[in-house]
Amino acid sequence: MGKIEWAMWANEQALASGLILLTGGIVGVAGQFAGWQFAAYGVAAGVFVCLLEYPRGRRAKGTSVERTGQYCLTVCVKAFGPITRNYYVRAFLHAALCVPGGFMLATVLGCVCLGIASLIYLLAAIRGEQWLPILPKTETREKPRESIKEPPQNPPPRPPADLRRKRLEDVEGAAYVNPIPVTGSED
């Protein structure tokens, strides 16, 4: 059985919690709830978490699929180096971001989800995982070898080259040679 990569779970959880925190903040500010300043903080924190978590990290196996349009944000997140690469930093950052949102009902759900993401990031950091960017591969296409000039003309299964029948067009001036010698008739 394979090793679980906890950072992938934490990334999805944190991105979803950022969206929930953003939505709750918008509701709190638009509704002018008591303590709407916490909701405004929720909007800012939700946007920050979404921007930080949108670029998906590369898996250890290398089977990662990047999100649509994540390249620009990947470059930005990569630019901060060890601060954004280290999951201990992300765990403590998310834990600190989720505290102020807990003072308002509209942002409580986003804060709880962000706290769970923080715990998952802490587990990923303890297991030694770190964020690695998914960058586009520079693909170098190899030229075909000299032995491959034209694709095969016959469908598979093909007999080996020495057992194939020669076409008359391929053989220049040669006549068909009967492999069974003909001897006189036996009456």
Side-chain angles (χ1 to χ4, degrees):
M1 201 153 171
K3 179 182 147 186
I4 294 176
E5 292 188 38
W6 291 99
M8 298 300 286
W9 290 92
N11 178 262
E12 297 294 331
Q13 177 73 24
L15 182 61
S17 63
L19 292 171
I20 294 167
L21 189 60
L22 175 65
T23 305
I26 291 171
V27 167
V29 169
Q32 290 294 314
F33 294 166
W36 63 271
Q37 295 86 357
F38 290 114
Y41 168 80
V43 170
V47 168
F48 175 73
V49 168
C50 288
L51 291 176
L52 177 65
E53 295 297 332
Y54 189 73
R56 190 177 276 158
R58 188 175 64 200
R59 295 183 64 192
K61 289 184 193 177
T63 57
S64 303
V65 177
E66 66 178 304
R67 290 187 174 105
T68 305
Q70 91 170 28
Y71 177 73
C72 294
L73 290 174
T74 300
V75 171
C76 293
V77 170
K78 184 183 173 193
F80 287 101
I83 295 172
T84 54
R85 187 181 316 133
N86 191 341
Y87 287 144
Y88 282 114
V89 173
R90 283 196 188 193
F92 292 121
L93 177 69
H94 290 330
L97 284 174
C98 76
V99 171
F103 294 112
M104 183 174 197
L105 186 59
T107 57
V108 147
L109 180 61
C111 290
V112 170
C113 292
L114 196 58
I116 293 169
S118 172
L119 292 174
I120 299 171
Y121 267 132
L122 185 62
L123 179 63
I126 290 170
R127 297 211 179 236
E129 298 178 30
Q130 70 175 0
W131 186 82
L132 298 171
I134 301 175
L135 296 174
K137 296 177 184 175
T138 56
E139 197 171 303
T140 58
R141 189 164 188 158
E142 295 180 17
K143 294 180 181 177
R145 295 181 295 170
E146 290 297 320
S147 64
I148 303 173
K149 294 179 180 165
E150 290 184 20
Q153 301 296 325
N154 299 338
R158 294 178 202 85
D162 56 336
L163 295 179
R164 288 187 205 140
R165 274 204 238 161
K166 306 285 187 211
R167 294 186 309 172
L168 290 178
E169 298 89 33
D170 294 342
V171 180
E172 296 178 18
Y176 177 73
V177 178
N178 189 356
I180 302 172
V182 178
T183 57
S185 67
E186 296 180 28
D187 293 356

